[in-house]
Amino acid sequence: MSSVAAAFRLARAGWVLVREGVVAALPGEELSGMPKFGWRVARLFTRRRALSYQRGDRLARAVVRLGPSYVKLGQFLATRPDVVGNDMALDLALLQDKMHTFPKAEAIHAIEASLGRRIDDLYASFGEPVAAASIAQVHSAEVVREGVASRVAVKVIRPGVRRRFFQDLESYFLAAHLQEKYIPSSRRLRPVEVTQTLAQTTRIEMDLRLEAAALSELGENTKDDTGFRVPVVDWERTGRDVLTMEWIDGVKMNDIAGLAAAGHDLKAIAANLIQSFLRHTLRDGFFHADMHPGNLFVEADGTIVAVDLGIAGRLGKKERRFLAEILYGFIVRDYQRVAEVHFEAGYVPRQHNVSAFAQAIRAIGEPIHGQSAETISMAKLLTLLFEVTELFDMATRTELVLLQKTMVVVEGVARTLDPAFNMWKTSEPVVSDWIAGNLGPRGMLADARDAGRALVSLARQAPDLVARTERLSREIDLMAENGLRFDEATARAIGRAEARHTRSGRVALWVIALTLIYIAWKLL
């Protein structure tokens, strides 16, 4: 029954996208066969007034009809231009995460249930909501510490949003499985894995304790940095459904006129924003992955304060080295080294030729070097790079795509502040410092130190490894002698899983087909 309900919800979502003209706005003329026929049918069922709207407006109207969980889906897919394409990702990034507020009484009930204390014991005053998004809304409140009152922001989870989202999530998984099964060319993009990432990301975002932990971690990483910080978390008043943090008084970065009126140096803010982002990425391997201008404030002294850390990105040491060497290789036009880095990192399969890949990299780099520094976009460079890697079967790397999306947004914000912004000159001090510290002599010493620690750890585990090897050898001998065997319970479980998967897929397809026939009949 769960699969049937998911199929009905998926069919309804498809119908809304058709009626609001979202499907008709896709480049269907490039399709062929049944996909092109479906696109033409979708155009017939599109609302006449929807045809006059831009594609971004059509998406926004469809999402409003579908509800908060589809807002979150759209925002998530905006971080995956490898899946939806760059143009669609830009449209999705414009989706406004502004929803109707829910009553103050419901917010108070959620806070008291989460923290186990009465609202009057927690806050000296608790105001009406000042902003509302798809997952939570924010209230202004006051707390008293040692007789001193201070203003705080209180973020509260929207009632029922978890149940609604995970119901819709079943539909997303159904669509991903059908896509993998019937569109083989899409398997490289791993749609089921993308959906799993969405599920995990949203679970984290719906537990406000984890957002508080991310704010705390980023705060520790940047405590000695000048010009950038995040709000301080009030852990005493933070739980699964509520996050209390310092109230930020500043000008939002999307208010260019307000920044200028406050006397801020817009060029300095743009440079500070880019250098802060690269510093967090390369130095710490942990960055704010939702740095649109609505989440960035500028305080009176010019300090940038980033809020709403529901989405964060992480890069391991290998990925950071990969990023730095790519940027440095493009700067010095060493395309062979850029190609070798891809192969060393294991991102491009070994059956491809390194020199051929370097040739493709050169096709990206040379046109860029013919331009002035002010017109070269690092975000565009990464976008073109990921397009080329598709030709060489490079599998989707979620952490790198999230980095690309964030860099596109951050660079775009910087250019709104300073239209003549020089990305390369601004980022050079941070990138060159990281390369000197990690790829030069200091980096070699650090690698040797890490290798020594790994050897010590391996030596400590040696007795356990020997015992495991001995057990594995005995199991292999038994397998060679008797063959691979499943116990009865395992065989039955495999049979049930296969039967359930086949039955669910057939039921889902029939439900979708019958729903579309019914809709067509009602319209005729």
Side-chain angles (χ1 to χ4, degrees):
M1 291 304 295
S2 179
S3 297
V4 173
F8 270 115
R9 285 193 291 269
L10 185 60
R12 175 184 174 271
W15 175 244
V16 170
L17 293 175
V18 166
R19 291 291 283 163
E20 294 299 334
V22 177
V23 178
L26 299 176
E29 295 294 347
E30 302 173 6
L31 302 174
S32 61
M34 285 301 295
K36 187 167 186 175
F37 173 75
W39 175 75
R40 285 176 171 170
V41 171
R43 287 180 63 87
L44 293 175
F45 289 120
T46 299
R47 292 179 191 273
R48 190 164 298 177
R49 64 180 182 182
L51 294 174
S52 63
Y53 300 138
Q54 296 294 322
R55 188 173 60 187
D57 293 333
R58 298 182 192 185
L59 267 174
R61 290 172 180 274
V63 164
V64 167
R65 287 185 61 186
L66 290 170
S69 56
Y70 279 85
V71 174
K72 191 51 59 182
L73 173 64
Q75 291 174 332
F76 173 78
L77 290 177
T79 71
R80 301 301 304 268
D82 60 318
V83 174
V84 299
N86 288 316
D87 291 340
M88 183 63 75
L90 290 174
D91 286 340
L92 290 169
L94 296 175
L95 286 177
Q96 294 296 306
D97 194 8
K98 296 180 179 178
M99 307 296 293
H100 295 298
T101 60
F102 55 89
K104 176 181 172 181
E106 292 185 19
I108 291 174
H109 176 74
I111 293 170
E112 292 180 338
S114 182
L115 300 179
R117 296 168 61 185
R118 293 179 64 254
I119 194 74
D120 293 339
D121 296 333
L122 292 165
Y123 306 101
S125 65
F126 187 80
E128 296 292 335
V130 294
S134 57
I135 287 180
Q137 71 181 24
V138 177
H139 295 254
S140 173
E142 277 192 347
V143 298
V144 176
R145 301 185 185 93
E146 299 178 354
V148 179
S150 58
R151 194 179 181 190
V152 294
V154 184
K155 189 173 183 178
V156 188
I157 287 288
R158 183 176 291 274
V161 69
R162 292 188 181 91
R163 177 182 54 79
R164 173 66 185 273
F165 182 83
F166 289 115
Q167 283 178 346
D168 287 333
L169 192 62
E170 293 180 21
S171 303
Y172 305 159
F173 272 112
L174 176 59
H177 281 293
L178 292 174
Q179 183 180 351
E180 281 199 356
K181 186 173 182 179
Y182 295 105
I183 310 177
S185 61
S186 71
R187 291 171 188 164
R188 185 187 72 85
L189 301 175
R190 304 173 182 172
V192 173
E193 184 178 311
V194 169
T195 309
Q196 290 169 341
T197 303
L198 168 63
Q200 177 64 13
T201 301
T202 309
R203 287 191 188 99
I204 292 173
E205 199 169 351
M206 288 184 182
D207 189 335
L208 296 183
R209 294 170 298 188
L210 300 180
E211 181 179 344
L215 285 168
S216 177
E217 181 177 352
L218 189 57
E220 287 185 5
N221 291 343
T222 60
K223 63 182 179 182
D224 295 325
D225 295 351
T226 57
F228 185 94
R229 72 183 189 91
V230 293
V232 177
V233 175
D234 183 342
W235 283 101
E236 181 187 351
R237 297 169 178 83
T238 293
R240 179 170 176 258
D241 295 339
V242 56
L243 166 59
T244 303
M245 56 193 150
E246 167 193 7
W247 182 270
I248 301 300
D249 283 315
V251 182
K252 276 194 175 183
M253 206 170 281
N254 55 8
D255 183 3
I256 305 298
L259 291 172
H264 292 295
D265 184 340
L266 300 187
K267 293 184 178 181
I269 293 173
N272 181 23
L273 178 66
I274 291 294
Q275 290 182 346
S276 295
F277 169 70
L278 289 174
R279 195 176 294 114
H280 306 160
T281 303
L282 293 174
R283 181 192 65 192
D284 308 322
F286 181 67
F287 59 92
H288 193 309
D290 196 16
M291 294 182 73
H292 63 77
N295 284 342
L296 300 170
F297 291 81
V298 181
E299 295 183 306
D301 64 353
T303 298
I304 297 171
V305 185
V307 301
D308 195 3
L309 196 47
I311 304 175
R314 291 189 184 275
L315 292 182
K317 190 170 184 179
K318 182 177 77 172
E319 286 74 27
R320 283 182 270 165
R321 178 171 295 180
F322 170 75
L323 173 64
E325 288 214 59
I326 283 178
L327 297 178
Y328 187 72
F330 273 106
I331 290 171
V332 300
R333 303 171 77 173
D334 188 352
Y335 306 119
Q336 185 71 22
R337 181 55 191 155
V338 174
E340 289 170 355
V341 169
H342 280 77
F343 281 80
E344 290 172 6
Y347 294 152
V348 178
R350 288 287 177 182
Q351 70 262 24
H352 291 289
N353 184 278
V354 178
S355 297
F357 189 56
Q359 178 185 353
I361 298 297
R362 180 181 292 274
I364 297 172
E366 286 302 300
I368 288 176
H369 279 282
Q371 302 177 32
S372 63
E374 288 79 5
T375 64
I376 299 174
S377 167
M378 188 183 295
K380 183 178 180 181
L381 183 150
L382 290 178
T383 300
L384 293 173
L385 180 63
F386 291 156
E387 288 177 359
V388 166
T389 57
E390 180 180 353
L391 301 176
F392 291 82
D393 302 318
M394 176 174 164
T396 296
R397 305 289 304 188
T398 305
E399 69 280 4
L400 296 179
V401 175
L402 185 59
L403 170 69
Q404 175 206 3
K405 172 263 179 182
T406 309
M407 189 170 288
V408 168
V409 173
V410 173
E411 186 179 27
V413 174
R415 289 191 186 276
T416 60
L417 296 170
D418 178 12
F421 182 72
N422 187 324
M423 182 72 174
W424 296 98
K425 182 178 180 181
T426 305
S427 60
E428 192 274 336
V430 179
V431 175
S432 60
D433 182 65
W434 192 91
I435 288 175
N438 291 272
L439 303 182
R442 281 187 292 165
M444 293 179 183
L445 287 174
D447 288 344
R449 185 170 60 249
D450 291 342
R453 290 173 180 169
L455 287 173
V456 170
S457 176
L458 184 62
R460 289 174 178 170
Q461 298 176 42
D464 186 44
L465 291 174
V466 170
R468 291 182 183 180
T469 303
E470 185 179 356
R471 288 196 300 272
L472 179 61
S473 178
R474 286 200 300 267
E475 292 293 335
I476 292 174
D477 289 340
L478 289 172
M479 190 184 301
E481 182 178 347
N482 302 318
L484 181 63
R485 296 174 180 270
F486 290 123
D487 60 34
E488 187 177 351
T490 302
R492 283 200 303 267
I494 292 174
R496 285 195 301 269
E498 283 294 321
R500 183 168 58 250
H501 177 73
T502 303
R503 186 169 58 251
S504 298
R506 289 175 179 170
V507 168
L509 287 174
W510 274 107
V511 168
I512 292 172
L514 291 172
T515 302
L516 292 176
I517 291 171
Y518 172 76
I519 291 170
W521 176 74
K522 292 290 285 183
L523 286 172
L524 293 176

